[in-house]
Amino acid sequence: MFTSVLMIEQPLSAADVGFVTTLHDDDMSFVVLLRPRGDEDRLLRAIDDVALGELEKAVHEADEPEGEEALRPAALALEQSLRRLRAAGSQAVGQVIDGHPLDLLRSVVEQTHADEVIVLTAPHLVEEFFHRDWASRARHKVGVPVLKLYAHSDEDVTEDTEGPEGAAGAAGETAPEGAKPEA
């Protein structure tokens, strides 16, 4: 059985579950670590929203629950994620993280004899540029490979697959007129 520690910050979408459960040919076991939103990250999240052109999200960043208020939504997000992983045929356990996730990561990797760490988050442009994101920092703390993936929401998947352009349009690519799609 292949064991992955999966670090997330939002519920896993159906697309995310489909992707992480098919990364390897082996049966998969996941230890999910979910960190609730913290007010210390509010400025960085707002900068990321602006950089990604999501101005509406940046304006409403202060409206999102943080700290103690974020614990209940985080627990629900974790339960939803675990249910989805199990429904896909994987073993899954998890916990909501109090404090900094990297403090717990090394011990979880050692205790579970994990084969890899997958960091599945929204883009964090400022932190990634300065290599202060979870994936970059985890690479210095654990003795297993660390894979950085960008999370999707279920709304993203619906938007990507609807409309005349389908998934190719979602990726920003269009085929030249008269071209045949690749198989």
Side-chain angles (χ1 to χ4, degrees), residues 165-176 182:
E165 61 277 335
E173 300 173 6
T174 56
E182 295 180 84

Side-chain angles (χ1 to χ4, degrees), residues 53 72 76 103 116 151 179:
R72 175 92 174 115
L76 293 173
D103 295 337
E116 70 182 355

Side-chain angles (χ1 to χ4, degrees), residues 7 29 34 44 77 79 100 107 112 121 159-160 164:
M7 297 179 64
S29 172
L34 186 140
L44 289 174
E79 283 305 313
H100 201 281
S107 64
T112 62
T121 64
E159 291 171 9
D160 289 350

Side-chain angles (χ1 to χ4, degrees), residues 18-35:
F19 188 66
V20 299
T21 57
T22 58
L23 283 173
H24 304 285
D25 291 333
D26 299 338
D27 290 335
M28 296 290 297
S29 172
F30 293 95
V31 178
V32 181
L33 303 178
L34 186 140
R35 180 176 182 234

Side-chain angles (χ1 to χ4, degrees), residues 6 8 11 29 39 59 65-66 74 79-80 84-85 99 114 117-118 141 153-154 167:
L6 184 58
I8 62 174
S29 172
D39 58 356
V59 170
E66 296 174 341
E79 283 305 313
Q80 175 186 343
R84 284 185 163 182
L85 288 166
V117 172
I118 300 172
K141 288 197 175 257
S153 69
D154 285 322

Side-chain angles (χ1 to χ4, degrees), residues 59-101:
V59 170
H60 294 288
E61 196 60 56
D63 300 338
E64 293 290 326
E66 296 174 341
E68 291 294 320
E69 291 177 7
L71 290 178
R72 175 92 174 115
L76 293 173
L78 177 63
E79 283 305 313
Q80 175 186 343
S81 299
L82 294 176
R83 275 194 310 274
R84 284 185 163 182
L85 288 166
R86 291 174 187 144
S90 296
Q91 295 181 12
V93 296
Q95 69 184 69
V96 174
I97 303 169
D98 278 339
H100 201 281

